Amino acid sequence: MIIGGKEFDTEHQTYIMGILNVTPDSFSDGGRYSRLDAALSHAEKMIKEGADIIDVGGESTRPGHVQITDEEETERVVPIIEALKKEFDIPVSVDTYKSRVARAALTAGADLVNDIWGLKYDPDMAAVIAESGAACCLMHNRESVDYVRFIPEFLDDMRECVRLADEAGIARDRILLDPGVGFGKTYEMNLEIISRLDIMHELKLPILLGTSRKSVIGLTLDLPAQEREEGTLVTTVFGVQKGCAFVRVHDVEKNKRAVKMTRALMQYESARPEKQK
C-alpha cells in the first residue's frame, strides 16, 4: 500500500500512526499542541521516536464533544498540514468526517483521510477521497448501541463502508479499516472487538487499531487518561498478534518498541522447526 509516496507492507508489518491533536478539548491532550510551533515540535518528536504517519485532528470526537464548524476545523488543520509537509518527509493523515474539511486538507497536502464515520456521515466524502486518489481509513461507528448480534452486525456495517468506497471509485489498495474501539459500542463490546480483531481479515483489507488511552482501558484499570500507557501497550501487542497493519497511538516510542518485540517473538515462533512440519 502506498501512502504519501511511502510503501507500507501491510501484510507483514505493523506501523505507527502518531496522534497530533490540534484541538483545545481532546480527552487526552487537549490544547497542548494547538499552536503551530508546539504542533511541529511534537510531530518532530514523534517522527524521531519512529512514527510512520502523523494523524492531524482538528475536532475532538470524544464522547460528548461539541461539534465545530467546517470553517473552524479547516482553520485548525490546514496550516498544520502545510507546515508538516514542508518540514518533514512523512505521510500525513487528516482525522475528519467532513468532506469540506477533507478537501481542504488534501489540497494542503494530506495523504490520507481518517473518517470516524466510515463515509456514512457526509454523502460527499467518498467522492472527495476518490477524486483525490488519496488513501482513507474507514472506521466502524453507530449512533446508538442497538445491536441484536454484535459481531455479525459489526461486520455488516464494515461491509457497508467498503461498499460506499467501491461505489465512489476508491481503489481497494487505498483503504484501511478501523474497528472503532470506543465508538458505538458498550464496554464489553469494545473488549470483544479488540480480542477478536482477526475476524476483520475476512474483509481482506488492512486493519488500523486505535485504542490509545481510551475509556475501555480506563474502565478496566480504573485509571485516568494520562495513566493508561501500559494498558495501551497491551492492546498494541494484541493488535500485532491479530495482524493489524497500523496502530494509532499517543506514545510513539514505547508502542514502537512493543511492536518490534512482538514481531520478533512472532517471527521466532513461526520459524521453529516443529511449526514448519
Side-chain angles (χ1 to χ4, degrees):
M1 184 175 195
I2 306 295
I3 305 173
K6 305 287 184 181
E7 185 173 349
F8 294 86
D9 181 359
T10 57
E11 291 187 15
H12 305 101
Q13 300 294 330
T14 304
Y15 299 95
I16 303 289
M17 176 182 279
I19 299 169
L20 182 59
N21 286 321
V22 293
T23 60
D25 57 345
S26 290
F27 80 96
S28 177
D29 52 9
R32 293 183 63 184
Y33 311 118
S34 54
R35 294 194 334 271
L36 180 60
D37 58 343
L40 290 177
S41 177
H42 187 56
E44 183 176 25
K45 177 177 182 288
M46 289 194 291
I47 292 167
K48 287 179 178 178
E49 291 177 346
D52 300 291
I53 299 179
I54 300 296
D55 188 46
V56 180
E59 177 182 280
S60 173
T61 52
R62 75 191 193 289
H65 77 282
V66 177
Q67 189 178 60
I68 61 174
T69 65
D70 293 8
E71 291 75 18
E72 185 175 357
E73 188 176 347
T74 299
E75 288 171 4
R76 288 179 182 178
V77 300
V78 163
I80 303 293
I81 292 168
E82 289 176 339
L84 288 172
K85 297 303 292 186
K86 180 180 178 181
E87 296 293 328
F88 308 110
D89 181 23
I90 190 169
V92 174
S93 167
V94 61
D95 183 358
T96 188
Y97 53 92
K98 303 168 188 172
S99 64
R100 290 176 62 190
V101 178
R103 188 185 297 277
L106 291 165
T107 300
D111 305 293
L112 182 149
V113 176
N114 187 8
D115 183 354
I116 67 164
W117 282 103
L119 307 178
K120 294 180 181 180
Y121 176 85
D122 187 328
D124 296 324
M125 179 65 97
V128 167
I129 295 169
E131 289 165 11
S132 72
C136 60
C137 182
L138 309 181
M139 197 189 83
H140 179 268
N141 207 342
R142 276 196 181 191
E143 291 185 1
S144 59
V145 186
D146 56 356
Y147 309 89
V148 176
R149 299 174 63 219
F150 173 56
I151 292 297
E153 292 178 50
F154 165 86
L155 289 171
D156 284 344
D157 289 350
M158 290 264 74
R159 291 187 191 99
E160 175 68 7
C161 293
V162 176
R163 184 188 67 79
L164 292 171
D166 286 341
E167 289 182 351
I170 300 172
R172 286 293 180 99
D173 65 0
R174 313 302 290 150
I175 303 172
L176 304 173
L177 297 180
D178 179 342
V181 174
F183 291 82
K185 298 169 188 67
T186 64
Y187 168 73
E188 290 78 12
M189 288 172 183
N190 284 316
L191 287 177
E192 182 173 8
I193 201 59
I194 295 169
S195 68
R196 298 184 64 188
L197 284 166
D198 47 331
I199 66 167
M200 294 182 67
H201 290 304
E202 75 171 65
L203 302 171
K204 301 186 187 311
L205 289 166
I207 302 166
L208 179 147
L209 177 64
T211 59
S212 189
R213 304 181 185 175
K214 285 188 175 176
S215 61
V216 64
I217 297 170
L219 290 169
T220 301
L221 303 179
D222 191 23
L223 290 172
Q226 298 301 328
E227 296 180 32
R228 298 173 187 172
E229 186 178 280
E230 298 92 342
T232 300
L233 292 171
V234 172
T235 62
T236 290
V237 171
F238 231 88
V240 175
Q241 292 176 321
K242 297 289 187 178
C244 290
F246 295 85
V247 288
R248 179 180 179 273
V249 299
H250 296 87
D251 306 297
V252 170
E253 185 175 57
K254 291 180 175 63
N255 281 276
K256 189 81 171 185
R257 292 172 180 171
V259 168
K260 186 175 182 179
M261 191 70 217
T262 307
R263 279 285 174 197
L265 290 168
M266 290 172 65
Q267 289 168 8
Y268 184 83
E269 172 73 5
S270 63
R272 282 167 47 200
E274 59 267 34
K275 286 284 186 177
Q276 299 175 9
K277 291 179 181 179

